[in-house]
Amino acid sequence: MKGITVAGSIVCDKLKVIERYPKKGMLANILQLGQSMGGIVPNTGISLKRFDPELPVYAMGCIGKDQDGSFAMDFMEKNGLDVSDIIIKEETATSFTDVITEEGGERTFFHFSGANAEYGLDELFANEIKTELFHIGYLLMMAKLDEEDEEFGTKLAKGLKMIREKGHRTSIDVVSREGADFAKAVLAALPYTDYLIVNEIEAGNAVGIPARDEEGALIEENMEKILHALFAKGLNRLGCIHCPEGGFAMDKNGHFEKRKSLKLPEGYIKGTVGAGDAFCAGMLYGIEKGWELTRSLDFANAAAACCLSEVGATEGMRSEALTWKLFEKLAD
Protein backbone atom coordinates (compact mmCIF):
# COMPACT_ATOMS: atom_id res chain seq x y z
CA MET A 1 0.00 0.00 0.00
CA LYS A 2 1.17 3.52 -0.79
CA GLY A 3 2.55 5.54 2.10
CA ILE A 4 4.99 5.19 4.98
CA THR A 5 4.57 3.94 8.53
CA VAL A 6 6.74 5.65 11.15
CA ALA A 7 6.96 3.82 14.48
CA GLY A 8 8.81 4.30 17.74
CA SER A 9 9.55 7.19 20.02
CA ILE A 10 6.98 9.90 20.79
CA VAL A 11 8.25 12.57 23.18
CA CYS A 12 6.79 15.77 24.61
CA ASP A 13 9.50 18.41 24.77
CA LYS A 14 8.99 20.78 27.72
CA LEU A 15 11.04 23.86 26.98
CA LYS A 16 12.42 26.09 29.70
CA VAL A 17 14.74 29.07 29.21
CA ILE A 18 16.64 29.97 32.39
CA GLU A 19 18.82 32.94 33.30
CA ARG A 20 21.78 30.70 34.11
CA TYR A 21 22.48 27.11 35.13
CA PRO A 22 22.64 27.10 38.94
CA LYS A 23 25.26 25.51 41.12
CA LYS A 24 24.16 22.37 42.93
CA GLY A 25 21.60 23.21 45.62
CA MET A 26 20.97 26.73 44.30
CA LEU A 27 18.02 28.35 42.50
CA ALA A 28 17.69 29.83 39.01
CA ASN A 29 14.72 31.69 37.56
CA ILE A 30 12.81 30.29 34.58
CA LEU A 31 12.39 33.09 32.04
CA GLN A 32 10.33 31.37 29.37
CA LEU A 33 8.15 28.25 29.01
CA GLY A 34 7.10 26.30 25.94
CA GLN A 35 6.02 22.88 24.75
CA SER A 36 6.62 21.03 21.52
CA MET A 37 6.90 17.50 20.20
CA GLY A 38 9.98 15.37 19.67
CA GLY A 39 10.82 11.80 18.84
CA ILE A 40 11.03 10.10 15.48
CA VAL A 41 7.29 9.61 14.97
CA PRO A 42 6.24 13.29 15.02
CA ASN A 43 9.51 14.67 13.62
CA THR A 44 9.92 12.33 10.66
CA GLY A 45 6.21 11.72 10.13
CA ILE A 46 5.25 15.40 9.98
CA SER A 47 8.19 16.18 7.68
CA LEU A 48 6.90 13.55 5.24
CA LYS A 49 3.44 15.12 5.31
CA ARG A 50 4.93 18.54 4.61
CA PHE A 51 6.65 17.16 1.50
CA ASP A 52 3.36 15.77 0.21
CA PRO A 53 0.10 16.27 2.13
CA GLU A 54 -1.48 13.50 0.03
CA LEU A 55 1.08 10.90 1.12
CA PRO A 56 -0.44 8.57 3.73
CA VAL A 57 1.73 8.57 6.88
CA TYR A 58 0.78 6.26 9.74
CA ALA A 59 2.06 6.80 13.28
CA MET A 60 2.73 3.87 15.62
CA GLY A 61 3.92 4.10 19.22
CA CYS A 62 2.85 4.45 22.85
CA ILE A 63 1.67 7.41 24.89
CA GLY A 64 0.22 7.69 28.38
CA LYS A 65 -3.35 8.55 29.31
CA ASP A 66 -2.41 12.04 30.45
CA GLN A 67 -2.25 15.67 29.37
CA ASP A 68 1.01 15.17 27.51
CA GLY A 69 -0.50 12.23 25.65
CA SER A 70 -3.49 14.31 24.60
CA PHE A 71 -1.15 17.07 23.43
CA ALA A 72 0.87 14.54 21.41
CA MET A 73 -2.21 13.06 19.73
CA ASP A 74 -3.64 16.47 18.87
CA PHE A 75 -0.29 17.72 17.57
CA MET A 76 0.27 14.73 15.28
CA GLU A 77 -3.33 14.59 14.05
CA LYS A 78 -3.45 18.33 13.28
CA ASN A 79 -0.29 17.86 11.22
CA GLY A 80 -1.82 15.14 9.09
CA LEU A 81 -0.60 11.90 10.65
CA ASP A 82 -2.95 8.93 10.95
CA VAL A 83 -2.86 8.26 14.71
CA SER A 84 -5.41 5.44 14.82
CA ASP A 85 -2.71 2.88 15.70
CA ILE A 86 -1.22 4.83 18.63
CA ILE A 87 -1.50 2.80 21.83
CA ILE A 88 -2.54 4.56 25.04
CA LYS A 89 -1.08 3.11 28.24
CA GLU A 90 -3.27 3.56 31.31
CA GLU A 91 -0.56 3.14 33.95
CA THR A 92 2.39 4.95 32.35
CA ALA A 93 3.06 8.62 31.68
CA THR A 94 3.84 9.89 28.21
CA SER A 95 7.55 10.16 27.51
CA PHE A 96 8.91 13.68 27.96
CA THR A 97 12.13 15.63 27.93
CA ASP A 98 12.83 18.77 29.95
CA VAL A 99 14.91 20.92 27.62
CA ILE A 100 16.71 23.48 29.80
CA THR A 101 18.35 26.31 27.88
CA GLU A 102 20.56 28.97 29.40
CA GLU A 103 19.65 32.34 27.91
CA GLY A 104 21.97 32.65 24.90
CA GLY A 105 23.78 29.46 25.90
CA GLU A 106 23.82 25.68 25.92
CA ARG A 107 20.92 23.25 26.24
CA THR A 108 20.68 20.43 28.78
CA PHE A 109 18.24 17.53 28.48
CA PHE A 110 16.50 15.52 31.21
CA HIS A 111 14.60 12.60 29.70
CA PHE A 112 11.82 10.40 31.11
CA SER A 113 11.32 7.24 29.03
CA GLY A 114 7.72 6.68 30.13
CA ALA A 115 5.42 5.04 27.59
CA ASN A 116 8.19 4.65 24.99
CA ALA A 117 9.80 2.07 27.23
CA GLU A 118 6.55 0.06 27.14
CA TYR A 119 6.53 -0.30 23.35
CA GLY A 120 7.43 -3.95 22.82
CA LEU A 121 6.57 -6.70 20.34
CA ASP A 122 2.99 -7.04 21.63
CA GLU A 123 2.41 -3.34 20.99
CA LEU A 124 4.25 -3.42 17.66
CA PHE A 125 1.95 -6.14 16.35
CA ALA A 126 -1.23 -4.95 18.05
CA ASN A 127 -2.29 -3.38 14.75
CA GLU A 128 -1.68 -4.32 11.14
CA ILE A 129 1.03 -2.33 9.37
CA LYS A 130 -0.77 -0.62 6.51
CA THR A 131 2.13 0.32 4.21
CA GLU A 132 4.87 -1.55 2.41
CA LEU A 133 7.56 0.77 3.82
CA PHE A 134 7.99 0.60 7.60
CA HIS A 135 10.44 2.83 9.50
CA ILE A 136 11.17 2.54 13.23
CA GLY A 137 13.36 4.48 15.66
CA TYR A 138 15.05 5.14 17.85
CA LEU A 139 17.03 2.03 18.70
CA LEU A 140 18.64 2.39 22.16
CA MET A 141 15.69 4.47 23.37
CA MET A 142 12.96 1.79 23.30
CA ALA A 143 13.65 -0.39 26.33
CA LYS A 144 11.39 -3.34 25.52
CA LEU A 145 12.51 -3.55 21.90
CA ASP A 146 16.16 -3.20 22.96
CA GLU A 147 15.85 -6.21 25.31
CA GLU A 148 18.03 -9.23 24.54
CA ASP A 149 16.63 -12.14 22.58
CA GLU A 150 18.46 -15.47 22.66
CA GLU A 151 17.87 -16.22 18.98
CA PHE A 152 17.86 -12.81 17.30
CA GLY A 153 20.00 -10.67 19.62
CA THR A 154 17.27 -8.13 20.40
CA LYS A 155 13.49 -8.13 20.47
CA LEU A 156 13.46 -5.51 17.72
CA ALA A 157 15.51 -7.76 15.44
CA LYS A 158 12.91 -10.49 15.95
CA GLY A 159 10.13 -8.02 15.20
CA LEU A 160 11.84 -6.79 12.03
CA LYS A 161 12.20 -10.36 10.78
CA MET A 162 8.47 -10.91 11.30
CA ILE A 163 7.62 -7.64 9.55
CA ARG A 164 9.76 -8.54 6.51
CA GLU A 165 8.14 -11.97 6.35
CA LYS A 166 4.80 -10.18 5.98
CA GLY A 167 6.10 -8.48 2.84
CA HIS A 168 7.11 -5.09 4.25
CA ARG A 169 10.39 -3.25 3.65
CA THR A 170 12.05 -2.22 6.91
CA SER A 171 14.02 0.89 7.82
CA ILE A 172 15.68 1.80 11.13
CA ASP A 173 17.23 4.78 12.89
CA VAL A 174 19.33 4.98 16.06
CA VAL A 175 19.51 7.59 18.80
CA SER A 176 22.87 9.02 19.88
CA ARG A 177 23.16 8.17 23.56
CA GLU A 178 26.18 8.13 25.86
CA GLY A 179 27.22 4.68 27.03
CA ALA A 180 25.00 2.94 24.49
CA ASP A 181 26.09 -0.32 22.86
CA PHE A 182 25.58 0.68 19.23
CA ALA A 183 27.17 -2.46 17.84
CA LYS A 184 24.92 -4.77 19.81
CA ALA A 185 21.70 -3.01 18.86
CA VAL A 186 22.49 -2.23 15.23
CA LEU A 187 24.24 -5.45 14.27
CA ALA A 188 21.40 -7.56 15.65
CA ALA A 189 18.90 -5.68 13.49
CA LEU A 190 20.90 -5.42 10.25
CA PRO A 191 20.03 -8.84 8.74
CA TYR A 192 16.35 -7.87 8.93
CA THR A 193 16.82 -4.25 7.83
CA ASP A 194 16.38 -3.01 4.28
CA TYR A 195 17.33 0.63 4.89
CA LEU A 196 19.62 2.05 7.57
CA ILE A 197 19.66 5.86 7.96
CA VAL A 198 21.98 7.08 10.76
CA ASN A 199 24.54 9.75 11.56
CA GLU A 200 28.27 9.29 11.14
CA ILE A 201 29.03 8.62 14.82
CA GLU A 202 26.30 5.98 15.14
CA ALA A 203 27.39 4.26 11.93
CA GLY A 204 31.07 4.26 12.85
CA ASN A 205 30.45 2.99 16.37
CA ALA A 206 28.32 0.13 15.03
CA VAL A 207 31.21 -1.36 13.04
CA GLY A 208 34.22 -0.03 14.96
CA ILE A 209 35.51 2.34 12.25
CA PRO A 210 36.11 5.96 13.34
CA ALA A 211 34.08 8.60 11.55
CA ARG A 212 36.09 11.55 12.87
CA ASP A 213 39.70 12.12 13.87
CA GLU A 214 40.95 13.32 17.24
CA GLU A 215 40.40 16.95 16.21
CA GLY A 216 36.80 16.19 15.25
CA ALA A 217 37.30 16.42 11.49
CA LEU A 218 35.31 14.04 9.33
CA ILE A 219 37.35 11.14 7.92
CA GLU A 220 35.55 11.19 4.59
CA GLU A 221 37.30 8.15 3.14
CA ASN A 222 35.96 6.09 6.05
CA MET A 223 32.34 6.70 5.08
CA GLU A 224 32.54 4.22 2.23
CA LYS A 225 34.42 1.74 4.44
CA ILE A 226 31.73 2.03 7.14
CA LEU A 227 28.94 1.40 4.64
CA HIS A 228 30.75 -1.62 3.18
CA ALA A 229 31.15 -2.98 6.71
CA LEU A 230 27.43 -2.52 7.43
CA PHE A 231 26.53 -4.54 4.34
CA ALA A 232 29.05 -7.20 5.35
CA LYS A 233 27.19 -7.43 8.67
CA GLY A 234 23.87 -8.13 6.95
CA LEU A 235 22.27 -4.87 5.77
CA ASN A 236 20.03 -5.64 2.80
CA ARG A 237 19.28 -2.74 0.43
CA LEU A 238 20.61 0.70 1.36
CA GLY A 239 22.85 2.31 3.94
CA CYS A 240 22.87 6.07 4.43
CA ILE A 241 25.04 8.26 6.67
CA HIS A 242 24.24 11.90 7.38
CA CYS A 243 26.43 14.51 9.04
CA PRO A 244 26.84 18.30 8.94
CA GLU A 245 29.23 17.94 5.99
CA GLY A 246 26.76 16.03 3.81
CA GLY A 247 25.20 12.67 3.03
CA PHE A 248 26.77 9.36 1.98
CA ALA A 249 24.89 6.33 0.67
CA MET A 250 25.55 2.85 -0.70
CA ASP A 251 23.19 0.35 -2.28
CA LYS A 252 23.29 -3.44 -2.14
CA ASN A 253 25.46 -3.59 -5.28
CA GLY A 254 28.18 -1.53 -3.60
CA HIS A 255 27.35 1.63 -5.56
CA PHE A 256 28.51 4.56 -3.42
CA GLU A 257 27.44 8.19 -3.67
CA LYS A 258 28.23 11.31 -1.64
CA ARG A 259 26.62 14.75 -1.74
CA LYS A 260 27.69 17.87 0.12
CA SER A 261 25.37 19.74 2.46
CA LEU A 262 23.90 22.97 1.16
CA LYS A 263 25.94 26.13 1.64
CA LEU A 264 23.88 28.07 4.16
CA PRO A 265 24.24 31.85 4.45
CA GLU A 266 25.41 33.43 7.69
CA GLY A 267 22.60 33.67 10.25
CA TYR A 268 20.44 31.12 8.42
CA ILE A 269 20.51 28.46 11.14
CA LYS A 270 17.90 29.14 13.83
CA GLY A 271 18.08 25.73 15.50
CA THR A 272 19.44 22.23 15.00
CA VAL A 273 16.71 20.17 16.69
CA GLY A 274 15.31 17.54 14.34
CA ALA A 275 17.73 18.09 11.44
CA GLY A 276 18.70 14.41 11.43
CA ASP A 277 15.04 13.38 11.41
CA ALA A 278 14.39 15.79 8.53
CA PHE A 279 17.26 14.22 6.55
CA CYS A 280 15.83 10.79 7.34
CA ALA A 281 12.40 11.89 6.11
CA GLY A 282 13.99 13.14 2.90
CA MET A 283 15.67 9.79 2.28
CA LEU A 284 12.48 7.85 3.06
CA TYR A 285 10.60 10.11 0.66
CA GLY A 286 13.15 9.39 -2.06
CA ILE A 287 12.90 5.66 -1.37
CA GLU A 288 9.11 5.81 -1.59
CA LYS A 289 9.33 7.77 -4.86
CA GLY A 290 11.93 5.38 -6.33
CA TRP A 291 14.58 8.08 -6.87
CA GLU A 292 18.23 7.32 -7.61
CA LEU A 293 20.75 7.79 -4.81
CA THR A 294 22.05 11.23 -5.78
CA ARG A 295 18.55 12.70 -6.09
CA SER A 296 17.52 11.24 -2.73
CA LEU A 297 20.68 12.55 -1.04
CA ASP A 298 20.21 16.02 -2.51
CA PHE A 299 16.61 16.13 -1.36
CA ALA A 300 17.53 14.84 2.11
CA ASN A 301 20.24 17.51 2.46
CA ALA A 302 17.74 20.15 1.39
CA ALA A 303 15.18 18.81 3.89
CA ALA A 304 17.74 19.13 6.69
CA ALA A 305 18.43 22.70 5.57
CA CYS A 306 14.70 23.45 5.73
CA CYS A 307 14.64 22.21 9.32
CA LEU A 308 17.61 24.39 10.28
CA SER A 309 15.73 27.51 9.20
CA GLU A 310 13.47 27.41 12.30
CA VAL A 311 13.95 26.68 16.01
CA GLY A 312 11.59 23.68 16.18
CA ALA A 313 11.94 20.26 14.58
CA THR A 314 9.17 20.61 11.99
CA GLU A 315 8.32 24.32 11.71
CA GLY A 316 10.75 24.86 8.82
CA MET A 317 9.65 21.87 6.74
CA ARG A 318 8.20 22.58 3.31
CA SER A 319 6.54 20.97 0.29
CA GLU A 320 8.59 18.91 -2.13
CA ALA A 321 8.54 21.78 -4.63
CA LEU A 322 9.71 24.37 -2.11
CA THR A 323 12.36 21.99 -0.76
CA TRP A 324 13.79 21.61 -4.27
CA LYS A 325 13.59 25.39 -4.70
CA LEU A 326 15.77 25.82 -1.61
CA PHE A 327 18.18 23.22 -2.98
CA GLU A 328 18.49 25.09 -6.28
CA LYS A 329 19.11 28.35 -4.43
CA LEU A 330 21.79 27.07 -2.03
CA ALA A 331 23.53 24.21 -3.85
CA ASP A 332 27.07 24.86 -5.09
Side-chain angles (χ1 to χ4, degrees), residues 138-189:
Y138 305 112
L139 278 71
L140 302 171
M141 196 175 181
M142 311 292 289
K144 275 194 174 181
L145 292 176
D146 290 331
E147 286 178 358
E148 288 191 22
D149 182 275
E150 289 186 7
E151 183 177 359
F152 298 97
T154 65
K155 297 297 185 185
L156 177 61
K158 180 179 180 179
L160 291 171
K161 179 178 185 294
M162 295 166 66
I163 290 169
R164 292 185 86 232
E165 288 174 345
K166 292 176 179 287
H168 305 282
R169 290 173 291 146
T170 58
S171 175
I172 64 172
D173 194 1
V174 186
V175 71
S176 297
R177 185 165 66 85
E178 287 188 12
D181 191 343
F182 286 94
K184 178 180 177 181
V186 175
L187 298 186

Side-chain angles (χ1 to χ4, degrees), residues 5-41:
T5 297
V6 183
S9 62
I10 301 171
V11 182
C12 280
D13 287 337
K14 302 184 177 185
L15 314 174
K16 301 177 179 67
V17 178
I18 61 174
E19 56 186 358
R20 63 183 178 280
Y21 208 86
K23 294 181 180 179
K24 188 174 181 179
M26 302 303 289
L27 179 144
N29 286 321
I30 297 173
L31 305 176
Q32 185 178 336
L33 294 172
Q35 185 161 329
S36 186
M37 287 303 303
I40 198 164
V41 176

Side-chain angles (χ1 to χ4, degrees), residues 2 4 48 51-52 55 133 169 281-292 295-296 299 320 324:
K2 179 186 176 183
I4 301 174
L48 288 165
F51 299 149
D52 180 3
L55 177 71
L133 181 54
R169 290 173 291 146
M283 284 302 298
L284 290 172
Y285 191 72
I287 290 167
E288 174 70 4
K289 301 278 279 189
W291 292 343
E292 61 182 17
R295 183 171 174 82
S296 293
F299 187 77
E320 178 189 340
W324 280 122

Side-chain angles (χ1 to χ4, degrees), residues 177-207:
R177 185 165 66 85
E178 287 188 12
D181 191 343
F182 286 94
K184 178 180 177 181
V186 175
L187 298 186
L190 282 182
Y192 317 108
T193 298
D194 290 299
Y195 310 105
L196 176 70
I197 307 169
V198 292
N199 71 33
E200 80 283 14
I201 304 302
E202 296 158 353
N205 285 345
V207 293

